[in-house]
Amino acid sequence: MMHGLAETTTGALTLEHIGRRFGETLALDDVSFSIRHGEIICLVGQSGCGKSSLLRIIAGVDTADSGRVLLGKTEVAGPDRFVEPEERNIGFVFQDYALFPHLTVEENVAFGLKKLPRHEARERAAAVIARIGIETLARRYPHMLSGGEQQRVALARALAPKPRILLMDEPFSNLDRGLRERVREETTATLRALGTTVIMVTHDPEEALSAGDRVVLMQKGRIVQIATGYEIYDRPNSLYAAEFFCPLNKLPGVYRNGRVETALGAFPAGLNLPEGGQALACIRPQAFRLAQPGEGMSARVVRCSFLGEIEQLAIKVEGVEGTLHMRTTERIEVKPGDDVRLVIEPGGVLAFPQA
């Protein structure tokens, strides 16, 4: 008999009011959300926001102080029930991959299949190895593998038992940047093809936006926003969410007639503020665009950095405190001290109440 089971229409996983405290630190504060079958969720936020603590509670290697965890309609953790980690059938890919050094790739992948008859475990391991495309590595040991190869082996080992959910804790952070992007794309394509339900922890905003069907942004143990990558980038619900995914030029202003009036002009904004309320206009660096002579505003170049595809300028505009930052894919033949004319694309401006 299962205690506290709830009939629910949820999909693969439901978290209800999860709380976790370590001494005086509230690591998780009333965290609730659900995940659909086959969905890839990216859990993102600054270090110490509670991402890894939440994974550990879902896996069952740590216990929440309050709240419930349900897999499908089955409660696996709550006030009156706790299902051991090995009984939850949840896969886990660790940041350091945690491969067994004394076992071959084939043996590593088969490690979690001990409940199966030996021939069936061997067949299952071989099928997963083929699916991940690491057949040529099957007889090698972990120390003979590159970082990208180790990551694929760790993925194969986690997928071999056909887990209900796969948890991934910073799975690409140990890889070089170029390799990281390629391995991430290959991994997410494989997981989507298999219909695997995934929660992936990352601290990389670009990774979260590109890999997840939805992004769960956390701050200090609480959920700030849950949305698709496009929604959370285009319509962040707070200054914290906006700044997490893109650097901003923040200009103080006054809210009047549905606009924020600043030293660089007035920008449309739908804010729940009284007339004359203090607001911030937040201009994304890519919202600046070179203007024709006589158009736009005058700015002086303070610094310029050529980043290959992108050029980044620090600019000074009269009447605005400090420097502003501009990013563009145009080739701008300028040097520090030069004057330029700029316009601002309104779509690149976000507005929030002044904190």
Side-chain angles (χ1 to χ4, degrees):
M1 170 124 181
M2 294 185 184
H3 300 283
L5 269 183
E7 282 301 313
T8 175
T9 57
T10 56
L13 173 77
T14 302
L15 303 175
E16 294 182 353
H17 309 294
I18 300 296
R20 183 72 173 104
R21 184 180 289 277
F22 297 102
E24 295 299 307
T25 303
L26 191 57
L28 294 167
D29 184 7
D30 195 26
V31 172
S32 299
F33 64 89
S34 61
I35 300 171
R36 298 184 289 271
H37 290 283
E39 188 174 23
I40 297 179
I41 290 284
C42 278
L43 203 55
V44 69
Q46 295 170 348
S47 296
C49 72
K51 307 183 298 291
S52 294
S53 292
L54 195 57
L55 278 202
R56 291 170 60 81
I57 287 168
I58 294 168
V61 296
D62 192 16
T63 308
D65 297 318
S66 57
R68 301 197 308 159
V69 179
L70 295 94
L71 288 176
K73 296 183 179 181
T74 304
E75 183 180 288
V76 295
D80 304 311
R81 180 165 174 78
F82 182 80
V83 175
E84 294 296 331
E86 57 272 20
E87 300 300 323
R88 296 188 186 190
N89 191 21
I90 291 177
F92 211 125
V93 177
F94 298 91
Q95 184 175 2
D96 61 358
Y97 313 134
L99 299 176
F100 300 110
H102 61 290
L103 301 181
T104 65
V105 165
E106 194 173 41
E107 291 164 340
N108 263 284
V109 174
F111 185 83
L113 304 175
K114 292 179 177 176
K115 291 182 181 178
L116 297 179
R118 185 170 295 178
H119 72 282
E120 196 176 329
R122 224 177 357 247
E123 287 175 5
R124 174 86 63 85
V128 174
I129 284 170
R131 185 69 184 81
I132 303 298
I134 52 174
E135 300 99 320
T136 58
L137 309 178
R139 301 298 169 85
R140 297 186 191 176
Y141 288 88
H143 73 272
M144 304 164 70
L145 307 177
S146 68
E149 289 168 343
Q150 289 187 34
Q151 197 277 339
R152 292 186 186 93
V153 175
L155 177 66
R157 185 180 63 182
L159 290 174
K162 297 184 178 177
R164 298 174 71 165
I165 293 177
L166 180 64
L167 307 179
M168 307 179 80
D169 193 0
E170 302 272 9
F172 311 112
S173 62
N174 288 339
L175 304 177
D176 294 335
R177 184 172 179 81
L179 180 63
R180 182 164 70 232
E181 193 169 325
R182 180 164 63 83
V183 172
R184 182 177 70 231
E185 288 174 357
E186 290 172 356
T187 300
T188 52
T190 299
L191 294 171
R192 290 189 199 286
L194 293 172
T196 309
T197 306
V198 181
I199 303 178
M200 183 190 301
V201 159
T202 178
H203 67 276
D204 184 331
E206 288 183 11
E207 190 162 278
L209 293 173
S210 64
D213 296 312
R214 284 189 298 160
V215 177
V216 178
L217 175 63
M218 295 185 67
Q219 180 187 27
K220 296 179 180 176
R222 297 186 67 90
I223 291 176
V224 175
Q225 189 171 358
I226 303 178
T228 67
Y230 285 105
E231 288 168 343
I232 206 166
Y233 185 85
D234 292 338
R235 293 183 293 279
N237 66 2
S238 64
L239 180 59
Y240 174 80
E243 281 192 291
F244 189 86
F245 292 103
C246 181
L248 300 172
N249 296 294
K250 293 181 283 190
L251 294 179
V254 177
Y255 186 61
R256 288 196 185 95
N257 300 318
R259 296 159 74 85
V260 177
E261 299 176 355
T262 75
L264 294 187
F267 302 98
L271 298 177
N272 185 22
L273 278 177
E275 287 291 298
Q278 298 298 303
L280 276 179
C282 300
I283 305 170
R284 286 180 162 148
Q286 62 271 28
F288 287 107
R289 184 172 56 78
L290 281 182
Q292 298 301 316
E295 290 183 351
M297 71 188 79
S298 175
R300 178 155 293 176
V301 178
V302 179
R303 290 186 305 278
C304 28
S305 304
F306 177 54
L307 305 175
E309 183 183 350
I310 290 169
E311 287 198 61
Q312 186 166 283
L313 306 181
I315 55 177
K316 187 78 181 75
V317 178
E318 192 173 340
V320 176
E321 191 176 338
T323 55
L324 302 174
H325 293 90
M326 168 185 177
R327 292 168 72 94
T328 178
T329 54
E330 293 182 63
R331 286 288 172 264
I332 304 178
E333 299 292 333
V334 294
K335 60 186 183 300
D338 286 353
D339 290 325
V340 292
R341 305 290 302 182
L342 300 174
V343 292
I344 298 171
E345 300 288 355
V349 182
L350 303 168
F352 301 98
Q354 177 79 271

